Amino acid sequence: MSSSRLQPKPGVMDIDIYVPGKSSAPAGVKLHKLSSNETPLGPSPAAQDAIAVLAGKLELYPDGSAAELKRAIAEVHGLNAENLICGNGSDELLSLIGSAYLQPGDEVVFTEHGFLMYRIVALSNSAVPVTVPETDERADVDAILAAVTDRTRVVFLANPNNPTGTYLPIDEVRRLHSGLPASTLLVLDAAYAEYVRRNDYESGMELAASAGNVIVTRTFSKIHGLAALRIGWAYASREIIQTLERVRGPFNVNALAIAAGAAAMRDRSHIDRSIEHNDKWLTWLTGELESLGLRVTPSVGNFILIHFPDEAGKSAKEADAFLTQRGLILRAVTGYGFPNALRMTVGLEESNQAVVDALKDFLAKAGG
Ligand SMILES: *Cc1c(COP(=O)(O)O)cnc(C)c1O
């Protein structure tokens, strides 16, 4: 019998434990939580009603196939339900991709300011994370392709990306796919797809339908306002879906999530209202912050990345402390490679105005 102590798999101890956005304000100050890209408009009332109906039936296991939820997604998005899989948040789907496809030593490619989950998925499967430089805070297809080797099993691309809010047009995504070997899986993480209003953007459903090595992941946590329920979904070839089906837990999506998710998906008017709200305030915030002299990365999502001057008294860290005193909770993004920026979720008018006012005061206090 071995006398050595219990050890996790190689890679696991290299993972930095994920630190979520802050969620509290000082005592007596109104909280404006703008740190996790949650919608300020909340979920569809139909989703809340669906949960109320189920409150008396919590002893029952959910439908392990989440058929009702898949039916709603398939209908609204015009997709084949057999090409769908649902998960406990899209984070779980990213993990399932890792469990199903990654072996020790495989390489996993993603961009330098890419979503933190990609590194976690790679390391938890003893695979090697390979980070690729971005150009102007945007994924660079040539740089990604240059990093691909015959050991690359998975390429993760958040499109639009978090925390930058930048995106790749579908032509660029197709060019990326064309340059990958058929044995490499391209994961298009489209958590913010609903918010994007650009004619050259698509989340990649057609590519996923026609290619055998593309999967698009989506979420109910952002525009649908159901982050608390943990619901994600993905669309890919039958072969990929049937592979992921083998490694998921039998009841990975709970009954409340299935019912509320289906109701939220069908409430188009709530989604349209959310898009309209975001469009208006994203534009307003970008303009106001730029007129304060702050650089903002051009975003197509429901959040913006605000860059601070590299000067004592004006740093992101100091701005964060100043905003927090007023109950304005933004997201520090040092872990994403931006030590001097803060990410702000687009909020209600009152919150957006409060952030602009506070930053005006902050910069004035620091001496213009
Ligand atoms: C918020 C977000 C998700 C969604 O994760 P869930 O597990 O579905 O809540 C996925 N990818 C990115 C890039 C995100 O920012």
Side-chain angles (χ1 to χ4, degrees):
M1 224 205 255
S2 165
S3 62
S4 63
R5 64 197 175 84
L6 180 64
Q7 294 267 23
K9 296 190 289 189
V12 170
M13 298 312 288
D14 298 329
I15 298 173
D16 293 323
I17 294 176
Y18 186 89
V19 183
K22 283 184 293 185
S23 54
S24 60
V29 176
K30 180 172 174 183
L31 172 72
H32 299 264
K33 187 174 187 291
L34 305 169
S35 55
S36 302
N37 298 346
E38 296 137 333
T39 172
L41 302 181
S44 159
Q48 293 173 296
D49 293 346
I51 288 184
V53 168
L54 283 175
K57 298 184 185 167
L58 298 181
E59 74 281 13
L60 301 177
Y61 274 97
D63 165 22
S65 70
E68 180 192 351
L69 180 57
K70 286 187 199 160
R71 203 156 43 237
I73 297 167
E75 263 174 47
V76 169
H77 285 268
L79 301 171
N80 186 343
E82 291 180 343
N83 292 71
L84 294 172
I85 184 169
C86 297
N88 190 248
S90 51
D91 283 354
E92 189 200 23
L93 296 166
L94 302 176
S95 296
L96 295 180
I97 289 166
S99 314
Y101 291 101
L102 293 177
Q103 296 189 57
D106 281 350
E107 291 171 0
V108 175
V109 170
F110 50 90
T111 68
E112 62 177 321
H113 303 300
F115 190 41
L116 291 177
M117 263 305 284
Y118 309 150
R119 187 179 158 79
I120 296 175
V121 169
L123 290 172
S124 19
N125 291 287
S126 307
V128 182
V130 177
T131 36
V132 174
E134 297 184 4
T135 302
D136 297 332
E137 293 158 5
R138 197 181 85 146
D140 178 330
V141 168
D142 296 306
I144 296 172
L145 290 176
V148 170
T149 72
D150 54 11
R151 308 220 60 176
T152 308
R153 190 64 46 236
V154 176
V155 174
F156 285 110
L157 178 73
N159 195 29
N161 186 48
N162 167 16
T164 51
T166 56
Y167 78 104
L168 285 187
I170 190 67
D171 287 353
E172 281 287 277
V173 174
R174 288 183 182 280
R175 190 165 75 80
L176 170 60
H177 175 252
S178 309
L180 293 176
S183 56
T184 299
L185 178 63
L186 175 60
V187 182
L188 299 172
D189 175 351
Y192 303 96
E194 295 87 349
Y195 288 109
V196 185
R197 300 195 126 188
R198 292 289 189 282
N199 291 331
D200 58 358
Y201 175 82
E202 285 173 31
S203 69
M205 295 300 173
E206 280 178 28
L207 192 57
S210 58
N213 62 337
V214 177
I215 183 165
V216 179
T217 62
R218 306 280 295 254
T219 185
F220 283 80
S221 300
K222 305 290 158 53
I223 203 156
H224 295 292
L226 295 174
L229 290 180
R230 318 298 307 121
I231 321 170
W233 58 281
Y235 181 70
S237 67
R238 284 292 292 283
E239 200 176 325
I240 293 174
I241 297 300
Q242 289 302 316
T243 302
L244 298 178
E245 281 289 335
R246 288 172 159 76
V247 294
R248 73 170 173 87
F251 304 105
N252 62 330
V253 183
N254 72 70
L256 306 183
I258 292 170
M265 180 57 71
R266 292 197 162 100
D267 189 347
R268 293 307 304 179
S269 65
H270 186 74
I271 297 167
D272 290 345
R273 249 191 324 278
S274 307
I275 293 171
E276 207 175 304
H277 174 89
N278 192 65
D279 225 30
K280 172 177 173 186
W281 291 104
L282 180 69
T283 307
W284 184 84
L285 277 167
T286 305
E288 293 290 315
L289 294 168
E290 283 176 347
S291 70
L292 293 180
L294 296 169
R295 184 170 76 81
V296 170
T297 307
S299 172
V300 296
N302 69 335
F303 56 90
I304 48 176
L305 189 63
I306 311 168
H307 302 266
F308 288 84
D310 208 2
E311 287 168 46
K314 293 188 183 180
S315 68
K317 204 175 152 75
E318 289 160 293
D320 196 18
F322 188 91
L323 292 165
T324 298
Q325 284 307 310
R326 295 194 182 185
L328 301 164
I329 311 302
L330 275 64
R331 180 71 148 93
V333 280
T334 302
Y336 284 96
F338 290 111
N340 212 14
L342 295 174
R343 189 192 67 200
M344 173 189 177
T345 306
V346 173
L348 293 176
E349 173 171 3
E350 180 196 351
S351 310
N352 300 334
Q353 187 71 61
V355 169
V356 168
D357 292 346
L359 287 176
K360 203 175 288 176
D361 294 349
F362 169 71
L363 293 169
K365 173 190 70 82

